């Protein structure tokens, strides 16, 4: 026998812990169609019953205001799970039962897991589970998800309900003598007309009309416009009546009556308390310190810095291993393949691309581990609480700070894990604004570009300029967020009605499962796209190749240099080349010859780049980009920077015929730029600002698209950011020029 | 017995909710969290910039912005 059951409950009720305890590693993570809400499924077997367990998103209610709630409700209505296991925080029974009632009104069978019963007992709350079960007419099983206690008993109860397959009637709650007559009347008409009855119980539909539920009203308007209009009119009459007689709303009365129903149940000896309800527990005492006016922000700065250090400090070694591995692989390919486009494709397209994809995984892993730790422990909610006032001013959320810092708010981060860090944000508009602006921060790949330009033009003020760059990135991100929130992502701030859960020690199992799932999702979903795009970019930088005539010219020059050299030098060079030894000492004369050859090689690479698609784009854009002070060489470098920002440095090196420049050691390029015609400090400043704000690297764009749920936002970030960056750069360059800089 | 705005409560002060004047999403969120007439709330802290406010409700802690608290009227025992 097979059956699907759903796990539901408030956030922080221990739902994920119970899900992990039941299904272990046998989980599948996906997305609900059309939204970015995660869908987790797992399997459990008991007495020959195969249970498919779906972990619904944590919610306090079943309204249509958030995607999580719509998803949970649609699942219950459309997939008809055999039952819902409602995980209830035993210490907060009253508030949690509010959701239980909504399941019961929908006519879904419920089994209650009275979770964290140990904490409740500790807090002096005694719960008579049998009495509660009797009054609600459903099984109630005390559990402690962390230790797995009560897990078997819970699943026995589930199996019994699944096997009995007894249909249940939706719960009938009285909503008082104003609402009840209207509710019954509307329910009768809905039933008689068969209005949406395929999906919802009639009385429930009527209730949703009274609550002004947008999803149900939209469905109703489509299904039967006439009845829909009648229902709306009846609701409006009741609303007017309530407004004039009691100064209240139907939905307020409904909520009050639900809580009234709950307190009636609880008062029948279900809950007995010993001790003061508002006594200060350990968690409150911790809060008195870590959210204190002066200590709080300092402690938070330390934690945020710690997260940053954890993500980027510890992952340094694994990132180096990944890079080393792919570097070795590339070396092997270069040594064993014959020269030509295939070798270039394999070495520079595929291997570099795959290395690029996997190079981010250690960062993503450590970032998710760190953030999950903060989230599961309850501290992240405090960060949101303390910073809300600041970030709300820009249309963001207190938790946005995590995404900004990881992206490079402390210079040297990375927007890829940064964008993913927005997952902890539950407010959709604030989240979107955060993930679109986080890439403005100065990630580790932009730093070599800044270092190059600062070394060339602002060497005496290095520290000051670097500080200004960080401040500028924050100012830019916050102001653009505000701009987006009053234009394309318009909408009121999502209410900050949020629970501050008690501090808890996260379970290692939960953290590891969470981290692994997210990382694997990145590799699987984003990885393939990223690999494909990196091959495309490689092709843009390599094709079309130089015409054979031109290639032959470079070959001739090379031959001429070798011919001009004395015979023994040529022999020496040939011998060295055969051994492929790089560390071999060359005589002074041979060294000079070698340098001549390298110069020709670099000039050839420069010519090839100029000839490629990227080069042509760079040339074509010169007319426009000159407004910001960029010549075609800079343009090509910026096109290359779309692959990864540090590529700007190496591409600029190639374009200036210096050969590939190592972004970490760009001294020679700095000197070249400082002396190059057309370059002055103003050009460098313009380029710094442009690099900071223009299109995120494509890996970040892929992640933005995935997190936002549509490619449109990825495209938006490329176009909008580039336009913004260009406007700023032009403004700086033109104003500066006019002022004589 | 004075009826006043929730925003005006001082730290550690308790009161009973008399009315919630919000509708729409905010009203629904407030009620979902158990802030309905008759519930006892205690202010247990304010964020470093004095907004949002942290409340103790039915044995758990809840945060609310000041401009959201404005929709809630409470009665304070004198």
């Amino acid at each position: 026998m097979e059956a699907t059951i759903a796990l539901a409950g408030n956030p922080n009720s221990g739902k994920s812990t119970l899900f992990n305890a039941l299904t272990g590693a046998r989980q599948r993570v996906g997305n609900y169609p059309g939204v970015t809400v995660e869908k987790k499924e797992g399997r459990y077997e008991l007495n020959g019953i195969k249970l498919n367990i779906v972990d619904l998103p944590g919610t306090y209610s079943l309204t249509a205001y958030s995607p999580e709630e719509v998803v949970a409700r649609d699942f219950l209505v459309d997939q008809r799970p055999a039952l819902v296991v409602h995980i209830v925080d035993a210490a907060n029974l009253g508030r949690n039962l509010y959701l239980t009632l909504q399941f019961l009104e929908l006519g879904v069978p419920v089994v209650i897991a009275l979770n964290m019963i140990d904490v409740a007992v500790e807090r002096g709350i005694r719960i008579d589970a049998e009495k509660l079960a009797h009054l609600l007419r459903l099984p109630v099983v005390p559990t402690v998800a962390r230790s797995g206690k009560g897990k078997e008993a819970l699943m026995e109860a589930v199996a019994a309900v699944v096997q009995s397959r007894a249909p249940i009637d939706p719960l009938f709650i009285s909503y008082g003598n104003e609402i009840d007559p209207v509710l019954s009347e509307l329910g009768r008409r809905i039933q008689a007309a068969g209005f949406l009855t395929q999906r919802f119980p009639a009385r429930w539909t009527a209730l949703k009309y009274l609550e002004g539920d947008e999803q149900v009203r939209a469905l109703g308007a489509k299904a039967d416009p006439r009845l829909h209009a009648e229902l709306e009119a009846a609701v409006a009459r009741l609303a007017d009546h309530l407004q004039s007689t009691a100064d209240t709303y139907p939905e307020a009365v409904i909520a009050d009556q639900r809580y009234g129903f709950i307190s009636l149940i609880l008062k029948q000896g279900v809950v007995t308390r010993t001790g003061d309800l508002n006594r200060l527990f350990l968690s409150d005492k911790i809060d008195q310190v870590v959210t204190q006016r002066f200590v709080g922000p300092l402690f938070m700065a330390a934690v945020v810095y710690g997260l940053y250090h954890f993500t980027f400090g510890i992952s340094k070694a694994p990132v180096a291993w990944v890079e080393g591995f792919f570097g070795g692989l590339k070396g092997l390919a270069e040594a064993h393949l014959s020269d030509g486009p295939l070798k270039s494709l394999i070495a520079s397209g595929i291997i570099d691309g795959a290395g690029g994809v996997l190079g981010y995984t250690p960062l993503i892993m450590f970032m998710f581990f760190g953030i999950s730790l903060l989230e599961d422990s309850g501290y992240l909610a405090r960060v949101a609480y303390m910073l809300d006032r600041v970030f709300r001013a820009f249309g963001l959320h207190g938790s946005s700070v995590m995404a900004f810092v990881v992206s490079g708010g402390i210079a040297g981060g990375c927007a890829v894990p940064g964008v993913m860090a927005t997952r902890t944000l539950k407010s959709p508009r604030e989240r979107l604004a955060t993930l679109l602006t986080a890439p403005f921060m100065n990630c580790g790949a932009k730093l070599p570009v800044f270092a190059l330009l600062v070394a060339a033009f602002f060497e005496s003020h290095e520290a000051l300029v670097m500080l200004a760059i960080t401040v500028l990135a924050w100012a830019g991100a916050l102001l653009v967020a505000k701009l987006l929130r009053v234009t394309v992502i318009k909408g009121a701030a999502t209410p900050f009605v949020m629970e501050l859960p008690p501090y808890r020690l996260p379970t290692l199992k939960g953290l590891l499962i969470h981290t692994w799932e997210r990382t694997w999702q990145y590799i699987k979903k984003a990885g393939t796209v990223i690999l494909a795009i990196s091959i495309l970019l490689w092709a843009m930088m390599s094709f079309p190749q130089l015409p054979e005539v031109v290639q032959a010219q470079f070959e001739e020059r090379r031959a001429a240099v070798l011919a001009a050299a004395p015979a023994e030098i040529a022999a020496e060079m040939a011998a060295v080349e055969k051994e492929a030894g790089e560390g071999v000492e060359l005589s002074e004369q041979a060294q000079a010859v070698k340098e001549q050859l390298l110069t020709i090689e670099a000039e050839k690479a420069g010519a090839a780049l100029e000839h490629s698609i990227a080069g042509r784009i760079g040339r074509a854009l010169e007319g426009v980009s000159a407004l910001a002070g960029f010549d075609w060489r800079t343009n090509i470098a910026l096109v290359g920077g779309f692959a990864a920002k540090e590529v700007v440095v190496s591409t600029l090196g190639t374009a200036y015929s210096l050969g590939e420049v190592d972004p970490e050691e760009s001294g020679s390029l700095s000197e070249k730029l400082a002396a190059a015609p057309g370059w002055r400090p103003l050009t460098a400043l313009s380029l710094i600002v442009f690099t900071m704000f223009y299109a995120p690297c494509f890996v970040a764009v892929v992640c933005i698209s995935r997190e936002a749920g549509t490619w449109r936002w990825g495209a938006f970030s490329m176009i909008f950011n580039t336009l913004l960056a260009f406007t700023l750069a032009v403004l700086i360059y033109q104003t500066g020029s006019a002022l004589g800089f | 017995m004075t009826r006043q705005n929730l925003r005006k409560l001082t730290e550690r002060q308790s009161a009973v909710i008399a009315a919630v004047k919000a509708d729409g999403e905010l009203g629904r969120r407030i009620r979902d969290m158990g802030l309905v007439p008759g519930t006892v709330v205690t202010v247990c802290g304010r964020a470093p910039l004095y907004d949002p406010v942290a409340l103790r409700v039915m044995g758990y802690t809840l945060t609310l912005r000041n401009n959201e608290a404005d929709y809630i009227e409470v009665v304070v025992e004198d």
Side-chain angles (χ1 to χ4, degrees), chain A residues 48-133:
Chain A
I49 306 178
K50 286 183 183 148
L51 292 173
N52 178 34
I53 306 179
V54 177
D55 186 23
L56 294 178
T59 63
Y60 292 104
S61 186
L62 286 182
T63 69
Y65 288 116
S66 79
E68 282 82 8
E69 294 178 55
V70 173
V71 154
R73 201 161 87 175
D74 284 349
F75 183 84
L76 296 177
V77 170
D78 298 329
Q79 307 297 317
R80 292 267 153 207
L83 62 88
V84 169
V85 176
H86 183 192
I87 295 97
V88 162
D89 174 1
N92 279 308
L93 195 53
R95 195 197 70 215
N96 280 257
L97 287 181
Y98 185 76
L99 182 61
T100 315
L101 295 191
Q102 298 182 55
F103 291 132
L104 294 174
E105 285 187 299
L106 202 48
V108 187
V110 174
V111 172
I112 286 181
L114 205 53
N115 197 28
M116 298 190 276
I117 191 78
D118 52 338
V119 178
V121 170
E122 223 171 86
R123 294 193 164 199
I125 302 167
R126 300 185 69 87
I127 297 171
D128 188 338
E130 271 173 45
K131 192 153 225 165
L132 181 64

Side-chain angles (χ1 to χ4, degrees), chain A residues 44-318:
Chain A
Y44 188 88
E45 226 178 297
L46 181 81
N47 307 339
I49 306 178
K50 286 183 183 148
L51 292 173
N52 178 34
I53 306 179
V54 177
D55 186 23
L56 294 178
T59 63
Y60 292 104
S61 186
L62 286 182
T63 69
Y65 288 116
S66 79
E68 282 82 8
E69 294 178 55
V70 173
V71 154
R73 201 161 87 175
D74 284 349
F75 183 84
L76 296 177
V77 170
D78 298 329
Q79 307 297 317
R80 292 267 153 207
L83 62 88
V84 169
V85 176
H86 183 192
I87 295 97
V88 162
D89 174 1
N92 279 308
L93 195 53
R95 195 197 70 215
N96 280 257
L97 287 181
Y98 185 76
L99 182 61
T100 315
L101 295 191
Q102 298 182 55
F103 291 132
L104 294 174
E105 285 187 299
L106 202 48
V108 187
V110 174
V111 172
I112 286 181
L114 205 53
N115 197 28
M116 298 190 276
I117 191 78
D118 52 338
V119 178
V121 170
E122 223 171 86
R123 294 193 164 199
I125 302 167
R126 300 185 69 87
I127 297 171
D128 188 338
E130 271 173 45
K131 192 153 225 165
L132 181 64
H134 172 73
L135 290 170
L136 286 173
R137 275 173 282 164
L138 49 79
V140 177
V141 185
T143 58
V144 181
R146 292 178 70 93
S147 63
K149 207 175 129 199
K151 187 172 86 176
E152 283 78 18
L154 176 69
M155 293 318 278
E156 294 283 353
V158 167
V161 175
V162 168
Q163 272 165 329
S164 76
R165 272 191 255 171
I168 72 150
D169 288 324
L171 175 70
F172 192 100
I173 299 175
S174 164
Y175 287 104
N177 44 23
E178 301 279 5
I179 301 235
D180 273 346
V182 182
L183 195 55
S184 306
E185 167 61 18
L186 298 187
R188 256 198 309 279
R189 276 152 75 178
I190 288 168
Q191 190 66 53
F195 182 75
L196 302 178
T197 45
Q198 293 285 331
R199 290 183 82 193
F200 313 124
R203 187 179 159 91
W204 189 85
T205 306
L207 195 58
K208 290 293 134 180
Y209 264 86
L210 289 178
E211 287 180 316
D213 187 285
E214 293 199 2
Q215 190 204 17
V216 170
R217 281 165 59 214
L219 287 172
K222 231 196 261 167
D224 183 348
R226 245 182 80 195
L227 184 54
H228 168 75
E230 284 173 37
L231 295 175
E232 296 267 87
V235 172
R237 273 197 302 279
L238 177 65
D240 282 345
H241 175 69
L242 287 174
Q243 188 69 59
S244 60
T245 55
D247 189 22
T248 185
Y249 318 91
E251 48 176 317
V253 178
I254 291 169
D256 295 353
Q257 295 289 337
R258 275 202 194 117
Y259 277 108
F261 184 90
I262 291 168
S263 72
L264 272 185
I265 289 177
L266 298 187
K267 273 184 195 148
Q268 295 175 51
V270 173
V271 177
T272 37
R273 292 178 191 274
T274 50
D276 180 10
L277 174 62
N278 292 320
R279 195 178 95 207
L280 289 182
F281 300 103
L282 177 64
S283 189
D284 304 300
K285 287 177 187 156
I286 296 175
D287 266 340
Q288 284 184 339
V289 179
V290 305
T291 64
Q292 198 271 341
R293 191 145 296 137
F294 303 106
V295 182
L298 288 177
F299 183 75
M300 179 167 58
V303 169
V304 168
Y305 183 77
L307 172 77
Y308 173 84
H309 187 76
F310 177 77
T311 305
F312 296 100
I314 302 194
S315 58
K316 240 181 210 147

Side-chain angles (χ1 to χ4, degrees), chain A residues 61 63 65 69 92 95 98 211 247 249 252 256 259 278 293 385 388-389 392 494-498 500, chain B residues 21 24-25 28-29 31-34 37 45-52 56 60-63 65 68:
Chain A
S61 186
T63 69
Y65 288 116
E69 294 178 55
N92 279 308
R95 195 197 70 215
Y98 185 76
E211 287 180 316
D247 189 22
Y249 318 91
D256 295 353
Y259 277 108
N278 292 320
R293 191 145 296 137
Y385 165 66
D388 177 70
R389 190 68 198 86
R392 191 208 324 165
T494 310
F496 197 71
V497 186
M498 183 184 80
L500 287 184
Chain B
K21 294 291 178 190
E25 180 172 10
R28 188 66 200 249
R29 293 289 170 236
R31 296 184 182 99
D32 284 350
M33 302 304 279
R46 284 183 191 275
L49 295 171
Y50 296 90
D51 184 18
R56 195 84 173 146
Y60 78 98
T61 311
L62 179 83
T63 65
R65 289 178 182 140
E68 293 164 349

Side-chain angles (χ1 to χ4, degrees), chain A residues 584-633:
Chain A
V584 184
E585 284 280 324
L586 284 175
S587 66
E588 220 167 281
Q589 278 170 302
Q591 193 65 42
V593 173
K594 191 181 171 192
E595 264 163 34
Q596 274 180 298
L597 291 179
L598 282 177
T599 310
I600 296 172
E601 202 51 41
E603 280 176 22
K604 184 182 169 190
L609 183 61
E610 194 187 345
H611 192 74
S612 69
I613 298 178
R616 290 165 196 213
I617 294 176
R619 275 280 188 203
L621 290 176
E622 198 169 25
V624 186
S625 70
L627 288 174
F630 306 154
D631 66 358
W632 64 272
R633 292 191 178 88

Side-chain angles (χ1 to χ4, degrees), chain A residues 311-348:
Chain A
T311 305
F312 296 100
I314 302 194
S315 58
K316 240 181 210 147
V319 168
W321 299 334
V322 175
E323 279 173 359
F325 173 76
F326 282 96
L329 211 59
K330 188 178 177 181
L332 269 179
E334 281 178 337
H336 291 91
L337 293 168
S338 52
D339 280 339
L342 181 68
K343 172 173 162 178
S344 171
L345 168 67
I346 291 176
S348 304

